[in-house]
Amino acid sequence: MTAELIAIRCTGVSKSFDLADVGGVWRVILGRGPGAGTQFRALREISLEVPKGEFVGVLGRNGAGKSTLLRTVGGIYEPDQGSVEIAGVVSGLYELGMASSPDITGREYARRFLALNGATGGELRRLVNEVQEFSELDERFDDGVLTYSSGMAARLFFAVASARAYDVYLIDEILAVGDHHFQAKCWARIRDRVAAGASGLLVTHDWSAVVRLCRTAHILDHGCLVFTGPSDAAVRKYLADSATMVQDRAGAQFEETKLPRSVQWCSGEKAHLTIPVRIIRPHPVSLRLSIERLSIGTGWEIMFMSRDAHAIGSDPGFYSVDLAIPALPLVPGSYILNLFLTVEPSQQEPTRRVLDSRSWLNGEGVEVRVSGRTSEGQVRLPVDWEFLAA
């Protein structure tokens, strides 16, 4: 990709930190250097690009090197080797206190930060007032930042760092601050910035934020990029080692070889899919399903889902479930059909049990490619479908 189309480019970036134990401190004092084996390699030859007008995600566990990467990109740390190129003015949403000591009020913090970033006169006064309103600190805005809770401080920082429209944003977990109401405000502001052409890098362990904001994502592990690809694929790999859903495939399962990986349907016309199921142990098995679509800025949106579980059978054997949608309500595009075999709650078993699943989260959902005439909106109502188990 040409330089004109790139907002952030990291090429072979590595970063290490000296580890000072008692002996190491004396070596530094005596001017002998840190000594052998006393460095921690936080980043190892990181290369990535962020296209202009897009956000790219970096997923990683605690200690993976996410914050170090963001601060190196932002210029707080100098890389030991490699280079970082950024096109445009940057706002880093990763730490409180960049403007000065936190021994100041929220209002003074906002004023100093914004002044450092070029706001003056009437614009500065207007932006400070907007920060007070957006952060919802009210009268606490004039109290010392040291008296704030961590949530209040994070709200102040997000409001200040995003008050002006910048070309590039560097975001570290900050979208998870506050209650649902404030998180929604943060997301709305970020979506507005993206719609206006902003670019950015989001480092987080919150995989839902990545699929909401990013088309492309990386996985960082012990300072190394171990995966690069579409955000949903990165999330599936990131969650692969986690028990995201306890399943009992020894009880019932979809017939792998007979269930298609993708289907082609036409908007407004009849859609049909045969779902093969094998019940292994005798118990009442039901089917639940949903159709979802990945929308950048929102995440995986459920287009529609079955309100009730549809009974398949109880006796061991092979079953064929015919799904029929008389008039497909989906507009043209790409979707994922998620399928779940369940044992529904009962007096004997009060908790729903998942026997098998095919969904975007485990990378096994059925891809639905919808063709036909374009239309405004996401779906055409009403939605109707039929099941027949045999």
Side-chain angles (χ1 to χ4, degrees):
M1 190 176 293
T2 62
E4 294 77 12
L5 300 177
I6 297 297
I8 302 173
R9 175 179 280 130
C10 294
T11 306
V13 171
S14 296
K15 179 63 182 175
S16 298
F17 295 96
D18 293 335
L19 300 178
D21 56 15
V22 174
V25 170
W26 280 107
R27 290 184 63 87
V28 172
I29 292 174
L30 296 174
R32 299 178 181 178
T38 58
Q39 283 196 325
F40 169 69
R41 295 190 66 188
L43 300 177
R44 302 167 184 261
E45 299 184 0
I46 302 297
S47 294
L48 58 83
E49 292 181 346
V50 177
K52 286 187 177 179
E54 294 189 24
F55 269 70
V56 168
V58 178
L59 284 162
R61 311 287 180 190
N62 290 335
K66 304 187 303 298
S67 295
T68 301
L69 173 61
L70 207 67
R71 286 158 175 73
T72 303
V73 172
I76 295 176
Y77 300 150
E78 184 74 19
D80 298 332
Q81 65 183 52
S83 63
V84 176
E85 303 169 61
I86 299 181
V89 181
V90 179
S91 178
L93 283 72
Y94 39 70
E95 61 183 330
L96 187 64
M98 289 181 62
S100 63
S101 167
D103 286 323
I104 56 176
T105 67
R107 185 181 302 279
E108 188 61 24
Y109 174 82
R111 182 181 293 113
R112 294 187 186 187
F113 187 103
L114 293 166
L116 282 174
N117 284 274
T120 59
E123 182 194 20
L124 179 58
R125 289 190 293 272
R126 176 181 59 81
L127 289 174
V128 169
N129 290 334
E130 287 184 5
V131 167
Q132 181 177 14
E133 179 181 357
F134 188 92
S135 65
E136 301 178 359
L137 290 172
D138 300 325
E139 67 277 359
R140 294 299 308 277
F141 195 53
D142 290 303
D143 291 345
V145 174
L146 280 177
T147 68
Y148 289 0
S149 67
S150 59
M152 292 168 62
R155 295 208 314 269
L156 170 67
F157 183 62
F158 182 91
V160 170
S162 64
R164 303 183 85 197
Y166 297 91
D167 300 310
V168 177
Y169 290 88
L170 306 177
I171 304 177
D172 186 355
E173 308 285 3
I174 199 73
L175 292 174
V177 305
D179 55 21
H180 292 300
H181 162 71
F182 192 79
Q183 288 180 29
K185 288 177 61 176
C186 294
W187 277 107
R189 174 163 284 185
I190 290 297
R191 285 197 295 269
D192 288 344
R193 300 295 188 252
V194 173
S199 314
L201 192 64
L202 169 66
V203 304
T204 183
H205 62 260
D206 180 6
W207 60 266
S208 63
V210 169
V211 295
R212 290 180 67 182
L213 191 59
C214 309
R215 295 186 186 277
T216 302
H218 307 269
I219 297 177
L220 188 64
D221 185 29
H222 292 89
C224 299
L225 290 182
V226 297
F227 180 86
T228 297
S231 60
D232 57 334
V235 166
R236 289 195 297 267
K237 183 170 179 59
Y238 179 67
L239 295 175
D241 296 332
S242 303
T244 57
M245 182 178 295
V246 178
Q247 299 183 154
D248 180 17
R249 298 190 67 182
Q253 59 187 243
F254 295 105
E255 285 295 295
E256 195 72 47
T257 59
K258 298 179 181 179
L259 184 66
R261 297 291 296 171
S262 64
V263 294
Q264 181 76 51
W265 290 343
C266 186
S267 180
E269 298 184 7
K270 183 176 182 178
H272 175 267
L273 176 65
T274 299
I275 304 170
V277 175
R278 181 163 69 103
I279 298 178
I280 301 171
R281 292 200 302 260
H283 45 200
V285 177
S286 297
L287 174 70
R288 289 180 174 271
L289 59 80
S290 67
I291 295 180
E292 298 186 49
R293 184 178 191 176
L294 178 60
S295 298
I296 300 302
T298 304
W300 284 95
E301 295 182 294
I302 298 176
M303 298 295 100
F304 51 87
M305 64 187 300
S306 55
R307 183 179 60 184
D308 302 311
H310 298 270
I312 295 176
S314 299
D315 297 327
F318 293 92
Y319 294 79
S320 179
V321 181
D322 287 328
L323 166 66
I325 305 175
L328 184 66
L330 299 175
V331 300
S334 180
Y335 304 82
I336 293 294
L337 172 63
N338 305 302
L339 303 169
F340 304 90
L341 293 179
T342 65
V343 175
E344 293 299 303
S346 63
Q347 289 184 340
Q348 293 76 25
E349 192 170 350
T351 304
R352 178 181 296 116
R353 183 154 48 99
V354 178
L355 305 175
D356 196 7
S357 68
R358 295 293 181 272
S359 71
W360 71 265
L361 188 58
N362 55 29
E364 298 176 329
V366 178
E367 181 185 7
V368 177
R369 295 191 292 269
V370 178
S371 60
R373 61 183 177 87
T374 59
S375 174
E376 294 183 1
Q378 302 266 3
V379 297
R380 296 188 179 95
L381 299 176
V383 178
D384 190 19
W385 50 15
E386 302 169 354
F387 287 93
L388 180 62

